[in-house]
Amino acid sequence: MRMERKYQILELLKKSKTPVKGKYLAELFNVSRQIIVSDIAQLREEGHRIVATRDGYLYDEGNKVRRVVAVKHSSKDIYDELRRIVENGGKVLDVIVEHPVYGEIIGRIDVSTLDEVEKFVSLLAASGTKPLSEISNGVHLHTIEAPDEETMEKILKAISKYRLSKGDTEKNEKTEDDE
């Protein structure tokens, strides 16, 4: 039963275009949320690319272009930066900052639509916490995902006013395994 459930979860995640909440999966399979967490962990251990976001689990197809881009701006520019990325076909996976004591700190963002950007910015404001980029005086990295190189170039041009490096010094990576 456990193996069957695990692979039913995998198929459901592969078919879903939006995040699937663990609570929903637990109710669907009549098990606890912790059982779902365990099933997801086992699927990841088997090599399946499942990402946990604040909105639920996503299956990562792994066939997109990813680039880590260095940017600098104030907190008031967060919305504009994210908006420019998603309006040009990109997805912002995370924010990465350097902390003087802890080193690299990564926070998941996972926004690919204007609605998700608005939700993220509203959540940040409502929480009363400061953005991670304030730790490093506005300097931070984003991992940006796009369907192809042409779209990525459009995104980089759209956020050029925030970029620290306009050249090709960013770390590039394809999400496919050694094409």
Side-chain angles (χ1 to χ4, degrees):
M1 181 75 170
R2 179 183 185 98
M3 292 294 277
E4 182 179 319
R5 179 186 63 242
K6 198 167 67 168
Y7 293 108
Q8 287 175 335
I9 291 170
L10 180 62
E11 287 308 308
L12 195 147
L13 293 176
K14 284 181 175 181
K15 291 177 183 174
S16 180
K17 300 291 183 205
T18 59
V20 179
K21 295 217 176 267
K23 182 180 177 186
Y24 168 77
L25 293 171
E27 290 170 357
L28 181 66
F29 293 103
N30 199 29
V31 296
S32 71
R33 172 80 175 85
Q34 192 54 43
I35 295 291
I36 297 299
V37 169
S38 176
D39 287 347
I40 296 291
Q42 289 177 30
L43 288 166
R44 285 178 172 159
E45 195 172 281
E46 292 172 13
H48 299 286
R49 295 176 175 176
I50 300 172
V51 179
T53 73
R54 70 183 162 279
D55 295 319
Y57 295 109
L58 286 171
Y59 186 79
D60 180 1
E61 293 292 335
N63 58 356
K64 301 202 166 74
V65 177
R66 285 188 182 168
R67 192 167 292 175
V68 177
V69 180
V71 293
K72 181 178 182 178
H73 58 75
S74 69
S75 295
K76 69 179 179 56
D77 293 319
I78 292 172
Y79 177 82
D80 183 60
E81 174 201 38
L82 297 176
R83 177 191 60 79
R84 288 170 182 258
I85 293 168
V86 303
E87 284 184 345
N88 283 281
K91 178 176 184 174
V92 182
L93 301 178
D94 57 30
V95 59
I96 306 165
V97 297
E98 288 292 323
H99 188 276
V101 175
Y102 298 112
E104 188 174 85
I105 298 175
I106 302 172
R108 293 211 55 94
I109 295 181
D110 288 311
V111 296
S112 60
T113 67
L114 198 50
D115 283 346
E116 291 171 344
V117 169
E118 289 170 2
K119 183 178 175 183
F120 175 79
V121 172
S122 294
L123 182 62
L124 187 59
S127 72
T129 59
K130 295 183 179 186
L132 285 177
S133 59
E134 286 196 13
I135 292 172
S136 52
N137 296 318
V139 175
H140 56 285
L141 304 171
H142 284 301
T143 306
I144 300 173
E145 186 176 82
D148 51 52
E149 285 293 342
E150 182 180 333
T151 303
M152 181 62 75
E153 290 306 315
K154 280 178 36 185
I155 293 164
L156 296 178
K157 185 175 180 182
I159 62 167
S160 64
K161 75 180 199 175
Y162 299 123
R163 291 182 61 206
L164 290 178
S165 170
K166 311 282 194 278
D168 292 324
T169 58
E170 299 92 6
K171 178 176 132 188
N172 295 310
E173 56 185 66
K174 286 285 255 181
T175 58
E176 292 181 80
D177 296 329
D178 299 322
E179 289 182 32

